[in-house]
Amino acid sequence: MPGLSLTFGAPLVLAGLLALPVIWWLLKLTPPRPQTETFPPLRILQRILKAEETPSKSPWWLTLLRLILAACVIFALAAPTLNPRESVLSGSGPVVVMIDNGWSSARDWDMTVSTARTVIGQAGESGRPVSLVLTADGPENDATPVEAVTALERLAAATPRPIPVDRLAASERLATALDGETPGSLLFLSDGLDSEASEAAAKIARNLGAGETLVYEPSIEAVIGLTRADNSTDALVVDAVRPSGRSTGYQADLLAVDNQGREIARTLLSFGSGETQAEARFEIPVELRNDIARLQVETPSNAAEVRLVDDAFRRRRVALVSGETADLAQPLLSPLYYISRALEPYADIVRARSADLSVAIPNLLEQRPSVVVLADIGVLPETAREALQTFVENGGYLVRFAGPRLAATTGEDSLVPVRLRSGERQLGGAMSWVEPQTVAAMDADSPFAGIAIPDDVTVSRQVLAEPSVELADRTWASLSDGTPLVTAESVGAGTIVLFHVTAEATWSNLPISGAFVDMLRRIVSLSRAEGGGPAEREGVSQSLPPYRVLSADGRLVAPGPEVEPLETGGTVLVDAAHPPGLYGTEEGYRALNLMGPETTLSPLPDLEWGPNTTAMQYESDDAVDLAPWLLAIALFLFALDALALFLMNGGSARLKSLAMRRGRSSLPNLAVLGLGAALVLAAPSSKAFAQETEAGEASSSSDTPALPDLADMQRAVEATEKTHLAYVLTGDGPTDDLSAAGLSGLSQFIASKTALEPGDPMGVDIETDELAFFPLIYWPIDPATPMPSDEAISRIDAYMKQGGTVLFDVAGNEMTGLSGDSVSPGQMRLREIIGDLDIPPLQPVPADHVLTKSFYILDDFVGRYSGSELWVESLVADSEGELRPARGGDGVSSIMITSNDFASAWAVDDAGLFLYPTASTNPMQREYAYRAGVNIVMYVLTGNYKADQVHVPALLERLGQ
């Protein structure tokens, strides 16, 4: 150690060393306590007369031990210091010590405190009061000059804070506390970084007129801060900054850490020479990124080297709902196929478990998705609509795709961003294009900006938006002719997005392009982590309690009493009441970080603090306070002295005797102890086992699910043993009897003409009965019967989406159209029912439809009457715009509508006689009615297998025939 020297803070105490000879003399004359031994009485009598003996003296080594102990205590009280620092103070008057205790000071805090302690000690030696000012503390930091001892106590209680410094407020507190008194010395122990209003703070300090000003600056070469974390598509990108003016490079290991502090990944953060910004990339799978809780330098030294992430950073959850029937949900033909394939690598996909939208959508929203995707759903049950409306207003993203069902929707829809025209625009139809349209380049202000659309992406069919003033502002993507391809509108804190084409390749080949993936990913990245949660709306304040906060050295700790809830309605600033950390609860929180993307760091400039300003450097503390070491030695010597006295007074003999006595009785004691322990352990064990057994029996008896109703089980078995045609129980006896008789007659005809042997028809209550057992449900529409409830309509809609078919037979003939003002009461009731069903456009059965050839070759579908068309779902155009005679994917029309009164034509009594005559005198009409029924049943059961005959010419051409 250079300049080895020794000083004493209280040299007068060394006069106590003069007492060591006296202590030696006293110790020498005082003998140790004589050893006591027990003798028989006779021996004592024999030795009762003894000559006078001189007491023995203390051993020399014990006297030396005690003299050394006394000397150590005297030297410790004299406050010896090895290599003391030279005094940096001069003059007289109060000493002002201003310390930066913000986030940047955490790295060198020990060195800062050591320097301040030395200066305060020097002020105490001179009898000068000390004013201690902490720049990151608030008004509770009292800058009034106090004695050096009190200042040292305050310094010991001071800690660095994970917030920026406020030197201006500290200077103002200092000026107020001094109240015009001129300080003799002003020491500014800075963190080396510039801060807001530093020049104004220096001006106030300069006006104090201190006799000398010492400004300490540490090295800031290793000071960095993490400003942004972007969970981008291909990598997790972290941005960092460091102070300007650095001429050398700097590198640090950056870690991604989970909630348990376990390392997920690491990468290198590297600053080039003279660079103030750097970027680090984590090339890790998206699945791992969702586990990241914070990003940090390997050994963080301050809060700026830690970047907390919250729910918004995490992987999104996307809920998918399709309007297509169940048998169309096949790869390459299902709209959800392309959506799920595009999003599965980047989001968690959840699907509806029920086709009943009034049940499925609320259940999906309970899982708190970020995005809900509706593929070709036109009509929503009121329950589902209200739930989605609330979801969007609370910050969720609703993405809808067009399709036949949405195109057929009429009336206002609050869950689309723009008003839509009825029907759709398609190649070869009304308002058609000469050729398929391409997609225009994305606007610079569109959320899709930067996404390149391949030239071969075309659109042949779309739903059109009504022209309006706000249409241009709500358009995110458009076709080359200017018509919208994607529109969006903000609703509350959320957004509704509409793709004006389908999510599969029937209307456009966009879903099979890479641009479709990029567009969906961009939408998901714009969404919140939990769209169903309370949203942070502009102008609406939300109070989040502090959950965990960062300490100055970058550790997550419990919040103190001074931390206040975070109000999210406006700009949130990091301060003493809102330090960086996590605000909310364990279920969901928001991360408040120290630095934002625009944060920059600069070194402390050369400010004018006063006429006698000196720049100082922090130095390592070579001074060693010897008092604690001397007191420790004295305590050790005292323990040795006590041990020596114990052994000299016969302590070892007593210990040996005690050990021998205990050794003789140890075996019985251990036996008793072991027996008692065995009893204690055995008794509660058996009792607990009995309680557990009884509890288990009670639990099993109470948790046993109730057995299903035997009648329901018997009905389910009966419905699935054979194929049964079903009819809706309307509540009107004659109508229900007619339906049963009609389907009974049709079943008998099918059994006699085909290989199918249906069972007896079964009536179903659409409010309660399970509908999935039946491929076809016959529903006679009579305005005199009660209107079904919304729940019943929703169950029918779910049945149709799961692949079932409903045959509506409207009372009253001459139904030649489904629109128009002149309708019968039965047709009006039908409109009321199907108005709440999510169905695609309908059309009369075309001549080449598979229904016309599923068993018999037919050109008409007559019943008791022959004046009505049979309406089914509209045919689908293929990629070339040509109509195919059936829906793709072996699809069956989920709805059929007629008013030809099929049941009356099919109805027979128990003897097999017809119950009702046909309206026509042609005896073949009833035969044609039965044939129509057979074709309908065969079509429902077998799909469009016969429609595949359209491929025969192509197959023959390939075979060269």
Side-chain angles (χ1 to χ4, degrees):
M1 291 180 286
L4 182 63
S5 61
L6 182 66
T7 62
F8 293 92
L12 295 178
V13 179
L14 295 177
L17 295 174
L18 299 175
L20 289 179
V22 178
I23 297 175
W24 172 81
W25 182 74
L26 292 175
L27 293 176
K28 183 178 180 181
L29 295 180
T30 304
R33 182 179 178 181
Q35 181 176 346
T36 302
E37 294 186 8
T38 304
F39 294 95
L42 293 178
R43 297 282 296 176
I44 296 176
L45 293 175
Q46 291 176 1
R47 301 173 57 185
I48 193 169
L49 296 177
K50 292 290 183 179
E52 183 178 354
E53 296 180 355
T54 302
S56 61
K57 301 176 182 180
S58 299
W60 67 267
W61 53 268
L62 184 60
T63 302
L64 178 62
L65 180 70
R66 292 173 176 177
L67 289 176
I68 296 175
L69 188 154
C72 288
V73 172
I74 293 172
F75 275 105
L77 295 177
T81 303
L82 187 65
N83 288 333
R85 288 183 178 179
E86 297 182 1
S87 177
V88 296
L89 300 178
S90 62
S92 61
V95 177
V96 175
V97 181
M98 180 181 291
I99 302 177
D100 277 343
N101 64 326
W103 63 267
S104 183
S105 64
R107 175 184 293 272
D108 303 313
W109 183 248
D110 292 339
M111 186 170 56
T112 303
V113 171
S114 176
T115 302
R117 185 186 300 113
T118 300
V119 173
I120 295 174
Q122 294 172 2
E125 294 174 2
S126 303
R128 301 169 64 179
V130 178
S131 176
L132 184 61
V133 185
L134 302 173
T135 59
D137 285 8
E140 68 277 1
N141 174 221
D142 186 6
T144 304
V146 294
E147 294 182 357
V149 176
T150 305
L152 287 174
E153 293 176 354
R154 293 182 179 179
L155 178 64
T159 57
R161 296 179 177 270
I163 59 176
V165 297
D166 190 352
R167 293 168 181 158
L168 178 59
S171 299
E172 292 174 347
R173 291 198 308 272
L174 174 62
T176 303
L178 292 177
D179 193 20
E181 186 177 2
T182 301
S185 302
L186 189 152
L187 288 84
F188 176 37
L189 282 64
S190 75
D191 58 11
L193 296 179
D194 191 15
S195 67
E196 185 179 359
S198 290
E199 186 174 353
K203 182 178 180 180
I204 295 176
R206 184 170 64 249
N207 292 337
L208 295 177
E212 64 172 348
T213 302
L214 305 178
V215 179
Y216 288 79
E217 294 186 36
S219 173
I220 57 174
E221 292 295 328
V223 175
I224 63 173
L226 306 182
T227 59
R228 189 175 71 98
D230 180 21
N231 195 1
S232 60
T233 302
D234 52 349
L236 168 59
V237 182
V238 182
D239 294 338
V241 296
R242 69 168 179 164
S244 57
R246 306 302 97 189
S247 59
T248 59
Y250 181 78
Q251 292 183 342
D253 284 337
L254 203 61
L255 306 184
V257 182
D258 65 6
N259 281 321
Q260 305 298 323
R262 296 170 296 195
E263 178 183 333
I264 295 178
R266 72 166 54 212
T267 188
L268 184 65
L269 177 66
S270 179
F271 290 89
S273 178
E275 293 181 349
T276 60
Q277 297 182 347
E279 179 184 280
R281 299 172 65 87
F282 289 92
E283 305 285 349
I284 57 178
V286 179
E287 292 77 7
L288 291 180
R289 299 184 209 169
N290 206 36
D291 295 332
I292 296 176
R294 65 181 184 271
L295 305 159
Q296 65 180 46
V297 176
E298 183 173 14
T299 53
S301 60
N302 57 62
E305 295 178 349
V306 176
R307 188 80 185 174
L308 300 174
V309 298
D310 53 19
D311 301 338
F313 176 84
R314 286 171 170 76
R315 184 180 174 96
R316 307 298 197 266
R317 179 172 294 166
V318 180
L320 304 183
V321 184
S322 174
E324 292 289 350
T325 52
D327 56 351
L328 281 179
Q330 301 178 14
L332 305 181
L333 297 172
S334 168
L336 298 186
Y337 174 78
Y338 298 95
I339 299 173
S340 60
R341 289 296 297 270
L343 293 179
E344 276 176 345
Y346 317 104
D348 294 329
I349 305 298
V350 292
R351 300 175 183 268
R353 297 183 178 180
S354 172
D356 188 347
L357 297 183
S358 63
V359 175
I361 290 180
N363 288 343
L364 286 175
L365 296 182
E366 288 180 358
Q367 303 182 48
R368 303 178 70 84
S370 302
V371 181
V372 175
V373 178
L374 303 182
D376 189 23
I377 291 182
V379 178
L380 286 165
E382 191 61 28
T383 303
R385 178 179 297 278
E386 292 176 356
L388 285 174
Q389 188 75 34
T390 303
F391 165 78
V392 174
E393 291 176 353
N394 284 344
Y397 265 64
L398 175 63
V399 181
R400 303 188 67 175
F401 284 87
R405 287 174 172 77
L406 184 62
T409 303
T410 59
E412 296 289 339
D413 190 346
S414 60
L415 294 180
V416 293
V418 293
R419 184 181 176 87
L420 301 177
R421 290 184 177 181
S422 180
E424 71 272 1
R425 181 187 188 193
Q426 59 179 316
L427 190 68
M431 298 181 296
S432 64
W433 303 291
V434 177
E435 57 184 15
Q437 290 290 300
T438 57
V439 180
M442 301 297 176
D443 293 336
D445 57 350
S446 169
F448 295 148
I451 297 179
I453 306 295
D455 296 335
D456 58 350
V457 173
T458 59
V459 175
S460 58
R461 193 172 180 180
Q462 71 175 143
V463 291
L464 286 175
E466 292 284 358
S468 63
V469 176
E470 65 275 2
L471 181 59
D473 295 334
R474 297 180 182 179
T475 300
W476 284 9
S478 59
L479 301 181
S480 54
D481 65 352
T483 55
L485 175 63
V486 181
T487 55
E489 178 190 13
S490 297
V491 178
T495 303
I496 299 175
V497 182
L498 172 64
F499 282 76
H500 291 242
V501 294
T502 57
E504 29 79 24
T506 55
W507 288 21
S508 170
N509 59 357
L510 174 65
I512 59 176
S513 69
F516 185 72
V517 178
D518 294 336
M519 294 167 77
L520 288 180
R521 288 176 54 192
R522 187 71 59 86
I523 293 174
V524 172
S525 65
L526 291 173
S527 66
R528 299 173 62 247
E530 291 186 357
E536 297 176 13
R537 307 183 192 178
E538 183 178 355
V540 179
S541 178
Q542 184 181 12
S543 181
L544 300 177
Y547 173 54
R548 294 287 188 274
V549 295
L550 275 180
S551 63
D553 57 358
R555 295 178 297 107
L556 275 176
V557 296
E562 72 280 359
V563 182
E564 300 176 0
L566 186 68
E567 303 294 334
T568 61
T571 303
V572 180
L573 299 177
V574 175
D575 53 21
H578 306 99
L582 304 175
Y583 290 81
T585 63
E586 186 177 0
E587 300 299 327
Y589 45 76
R590 173 179 172 176
L592 178 63
N593 286 291
L594 180 63
M595 295 185 174
E598 306 300 327
T599 302
T600 57
L601 298 178
S602 302
L604 184 67
D606 295 331
L607 302 174
E608 185 60 38
W609 294 90
N612 299 320
T613 301
T614 304
M616 306 288 288
Q617 293 291 331
Y618 290 103
E619 298 178 359
S620 60
D621 191 3
D622 291 333
V624 179
D625 185 5
L626 297 179
W629 295 98
L630 292 173
L631 290 175
I633 294 174
L635 183 62
F636 176 71
L637 295 177
F638 179 79
L640 289 180
D641 181 82
L643 179 60
L645 287 178
F646 177 77
L647 295 176
M648 293 174 64
N649 291 332
S652 59
R654 285 195 295 270
L655 286 177
K656 183 177 180 180
S657 175
L658 180 62
M660 292 180 63
R661 288 198 302 269
R662 290 191 174 182
R664 288 192 299 266
S665 59
S666 59
L667 290 177
N669 290 341
L670 288 176
V672 173
L673 180 62
L675 180 59
L679 293 175
V680 170
L681 292 176
S685 174
S686 58
K687 180 179 179 181
F689 180 81
Q691 291 177 348
E692 182 177 351
T693 304
E694 295 171 1
E697 294 174 354
S699 174
S700 61
S701 61
S702 61
D703 295 340
T704 302
L707 294 176
D709 186 81
L710 293 179
D712 292 340
M713 292 182 61
Q714 184 177 0
R715 178 180 173 83
V717 171
E718 181 183 355
T720 53
E721 280 182 335
K722 284 187 175 182
T723 299
H724 296 265
L725 303 181
Y727 59 93
V728 173
L729 295 173
T730 62
D732 181 72
T735 302
D736 295 343
D737 293 341
L738 175 60
S739 299
L743 293 183
S744 178
L746 178 61
S747 298
Q748 295 175 28
F749 187 87
I750 292 173
S752 63
K753 300 295 184 179
T754 71
L756 175 65
E757 297 182 358
D760 295 334
M762 302 180 67
V764 294
D765 184 351
I766 59 176
E767 299 276 356
T768 58
D769 290 341
E770 177 59 56
L771 308 180
F773 299 143
F774 310 102
L776 176 69
I777 296 179
Y778 178 78
W779 192 342
I781 302 299
D782 190 340
T785 58
M787 178 70 185
S789 65
D790 294 339
E791 290 76 11
I793 296 296
S794 182
R795 297 182 81 245
I796 284 292
D797 186 71
Y799 165 77
M800 296 166 65
K801 281 185 169 61
Q802 290 175 324
T805 298
V806 180
L807 173 57
F808 292 96
D809 203 339
V810 184
N813 59 351
E814 301 296 331
M815 188 182 70
T816 58
L818 296 178
S819 61
D821 297 331
S822 178
V823 293
S824 66
Q827 295 178 27
M828 183 61 67
R829 173 56 59 85
L830 176 66
R831 287 187 180 184
E832 295 173 355
I833 294 175
I834 65 174
D836 294 330
L837 294 176
D838 184 26
I839 57 176
L842 304 177
Q843 68 175 136
V845 175
D848 55 355
H849 196 282
V850 70
L851 262 173
T852 63
K853 52 193 173 186
S854 60
F855 194 84
Y856 293 102
I857 303 298
L858 298 176
D859 56 6
D860 196 7
F861 294 84
V862 299
R864 185 181 184 187
Y865 306 102
S866 59
S868 172
E869 301 277 3
L870 179 63
W871 292 75
V872 293
E873 293 182 14
S874 297
L875 301 182
V876 186
D878 60 17
S879 58
E880 299 179 356
E882 297 181 359
L883 295 177
R884 293 198 56 191
R887 297 180 58 80
D890 286 343
V892 174
S893 178
S894 60
I895 182 173
M896 300 182 189
I897 302 175
T898 186
S899 63
N900 282 339
D901 194 2
F902 281 140
S904 297
W906 300 334
V908 294
D909 57 16
D910 295 338
L913 302 177
F914 302 123
L915 295 180
Y916 299 96
T918 58
S920 171
T921 57
N922 185 358
M924 287 298 295
Q925 180 167 339
R926 193 181 303 274
E927 176 68 19
Y928 291 145
Y930 276 119
R931 293 183 180 183
V934 172
N935 274 27
I936 290 173
V937 173
M938 291 296 111
Y939 166 66
V940 168
L941 294 177
T942 61
N944 68 340
Y945 76 101
K946 288 197 174 182
D948 288 334
Q949 293 178 4
V950 297
H951 299 298
V952 171
L955 295 175
L956 294 177
E957 182 179 354
R958 287 199 176 193
L959 293 173
Q961 300 179 4

